Amino acid sequence: MSSRFVTTLLAVSIFSFMLGMNAWADNEFYEFETAAQERQFNTLAGELRCPKCQNQTIADSDAPLAQDMRERVYQMIMEGKSNAEIIDFMKVRYGDFVHYRPPINKSTLILWLAPLAVIIIGALAVWFNVRHQRSASAELTPEEEARMDEMFAKTDKAEERDK
Amino acid sequence: MSVKTRTLVLLTPLVLFLLLAIFLFKGLFSDPTKLDSALIGREVPSFELPDLYQPDVTHNQEIVGGRPMLINVWATWCPTCYAEHTFLNQLLAEEDVYIIGLNYKDDSRGAAVRWLQDLGDPYAINLFDFTGLLALDLGVYGAPETFVVDAEGIIRYRHVGDLNERVWRTEVGPVYYRAMQESGLEIPEHRMELVE
């Protein structure tokens, strides 16, 4: 295989990969009046979940439903709707599930509090352990003290021998 | 620390682990594609859609309500809809169930009309939602889906997936016939058990 052939092959495959990445940008082209609108569109498309594909945002997904939702988001942005209004619009139709940031309510409270609880429990455990070790080392029983003296005496002797 | 508290503290991670294991194990059997409809208890959103057979005739939200009915979302590209179709025909023939058909983003009007001519048309009214406009307002994310709407035009129930005898008997039928009972409409003899 000539090196030129390999280079061409590589270029073609990289190029086709890039085409794939822009799959939905090809047949859908949204024109915005301001850069702020475009930013708003990109933010929302990255925050709304495609209910059909479930683990993809509507920016990620090429499902027909995601296309429809992008189209609707685009229309509402052009009408001057705010982020909150557009997210609410989608929530009324598809439930809280459609937004990648879950709201704080009864069923999601555990999601928000569990990490905090884990940190607090962990910190308490560390604190408790450290305190326990300190208090334990502070008090030596007479036998322990005698053993320690013995050990010190032994090492002292050993050191003197080495000199 | 006494031996008892020590055992208790040491057991805590095990208990937490078991709880987590139970929670995750239950998750194995939950169906993530079943989403709660946010529209239950709300009115059917307003719309304006052409008739499937006659492109120049349009229908709006006034066709909804006045009596309990089903709104069935279907398309010719949907294999499950094909499986469901026989049951819908049976619902019309045997129980005179009032169904509005919402053809959802079909390949073409012709394909949808051909489908109904070949397989029978169980729908009282046929809506043609080529762009998925009403479907999006209804929170539809696939086909088939079926909504139960009462006489006031309020959505009572949403079923995702095909209708069949089991689903009709256990989930959708009871809601439909309770709405029928409330409006003082007749219920077929063999379905009386669903509202009792």
Side-chain angles (χ1 to χ4, degrees):
Chain A
M1 236 187 298
S2 73
S3 69
R4 177 177 273 181
F5 178 72
V6 173
T7 321
T8 320
L9 200 71
L10 203 69
V12 165
S13 55
I14 289 174
F15 183 66
S16 56
F17 181 65
M18 282 160 65
L19 273 182
M21 289 203 300
N22 281 319
W24 63 268
D26 290 340
N27 44 26
E28 277 176 53
F29 188 72
Y30 294 115
E31 250 181 89
F32 297 95
E33 284 155 12
T34 65
Q37 284 174 335
E38 193 170 348
R39 269 200 306 277
Q40 190 189 4
F41 181 81
N42 288 334
T43 311
L44 284 169
E47 266 182 32
L48 289 168
R49 186 199 299 266
C50 166
K52 185 75 206 166
C53 5
Q54 303 218 335
N55 283 329
Q56 282 185 305
T57 63
I58 60 169
D60 259 348
S61 170
D62 203 31
L65 180 62
Q67 287 169 15
D68 289 353
M69 287 171 74
R70 285 197 294 269
E71 177 65 33
R72 193 62 81 93
V73 168
Y74 172 72
Q75 281 170 10
M76 284 192 286
I77 286 172
M78 297 318 273
E79 286 164 19
K81 295 263 167 62
S82 73
N83 281 6
E85 279 174 312
I86 296 171
I87 288 166
D88 281 345
F89 173 93
M90 290 298 175
K91 276 188 180 175
V92 165
R93 282 152 185 82
Y94 294 102
D96 289 339
F97 181 75
V98 80
H99 196 204
Y100 260 110
R101 288 193 208 157
I104 303 181
N105 61 30
K106 236 166 84 187
S107 55
T108 60
L109 206 61
I110 189 163
L111 286 179
W112 290 92
L113 293 187
L116 207 66
V118 167
I119 290 174
I120 292 173
I121 291 172
L124 278 177
V126 169
W127 180 73
F128 196 78
N129 258 331
V130 168
R131 208 185 60 151
H132 186 71
Q133 274 170 13
R134 267 198 205 139
S135 64
S137 59
E139 296 160 32
L140 288 183
T141 59
E143 293 100 73
E144 281 173 332
E145 212 138 345
R147 252 187 83 201
M148 215 160 74
D149 286 343
E150 204 183 309
M151 282 156 86
F152 276 131
K154 257 190 203 161
T155 42
D156 283 350
K157 257 189 211 156
E159 268 170 25
E160 249 161 57
R161 245 205 330 261
D162 289 345
K163 266 181 196 169
Chain B
M1 226 184 331
S2 76
V3 180
K4 212 171 157 193
T5 37
R6 207 189 176 87
T7 332
L8 221 64
V9 168
L10 288 176
L11 273 179
T12 319
L14 181 67
V15 171
L16 285 177
F17 168 75
L18 285 178
L19 283 177
L20 187 71
I22 292 171
F23 174 75
L24 292 177
F25 186 73
K26 274 172 77 180
L28 285 179
F29 302 99
S30 76
D31 184 356
T33 61
K34 289 234 151 45
L35 301 182
D36 294 334
S37 174
L39 281 165
I40 306 282
R42 287 176 191 251
E43 264 181 52
V44 172
S46 58
F47 63 89
E48 203 152 310
L49 285 177
D51 191 88
L52 177 62
Y53 296 110
Q54 299 150 281
D56 33 308
V57 175
T58 53
H59 300 286
N60 60 26
Q61 63 279 9
E62 277 162 33
I63 60 167
V64 178
R67 61 155 294 158
M69 55 182 66
L70 305 181
I71 298 177
N72 178 252
V73 182
W74 68 282
T76 57
W77 47 255
C78 149
T80 321
C81 300
Y82 187 85
E84 176 189 57
H85 205 79
T86 321
F87 186 71
L88 295 179
N89 283 333
Q90 188 192 321
L91 279 185
L92 176 72
E94 293 174 12
E95 306 179 35
D96 205 21
V97 174
Y98 190 95
I99 314 172
I100 290 181
L102 177 63
N103 182 269
Y104 172 53
K105 289 174 79 93
D106 221 323
D107 307 331
S108 72
R109 192 185 279 269
V113 171
R114 243 189 331 275
W115 162 293
L116 292 179
Q117 279 165 352
D118 292 348
L119 302 173
D121 182 356
Y123 305 114
I125 296 173
N126 274 288
L127 300 172
F128 184 60
D129 192 1
F130 190 64
T131 54
L133 216 64
L134 174 58
L136 193 111
D137 278 342
L138 282 170
V140 168
Y141 57 91
E145 279 190 28
T146 302
F147 294 83
V148 181
V149 182
D150 68 13
E152 272 76 53
I154 307 288
I155 297 171
R156 288 272 184 101
Y157 195 80
R158 187 258 286 265
H159 174 72
V160 178
D162 64 324
L163 282 186
N164 50 48
E165 178 60 28
R166 186 186 53 81
V167 169
W168 183 248
R169 219 178 37 239
T170 56
E171 291 178 40
V172 185
V175 183
Y176 175 75
Y177 281 122
R178 233 169 279 136
M180 289 285 278
Q181 200 175 34
E182 283 165 28
S183 329
L185 290 165
E186 213 180 311
I187 300 168
E189 198 69 37
H190 71 288
R191 292 300 188 189
M192 279 307 282
E193 56 176 42
L194 296 185
V195 290
E196 272 155 16

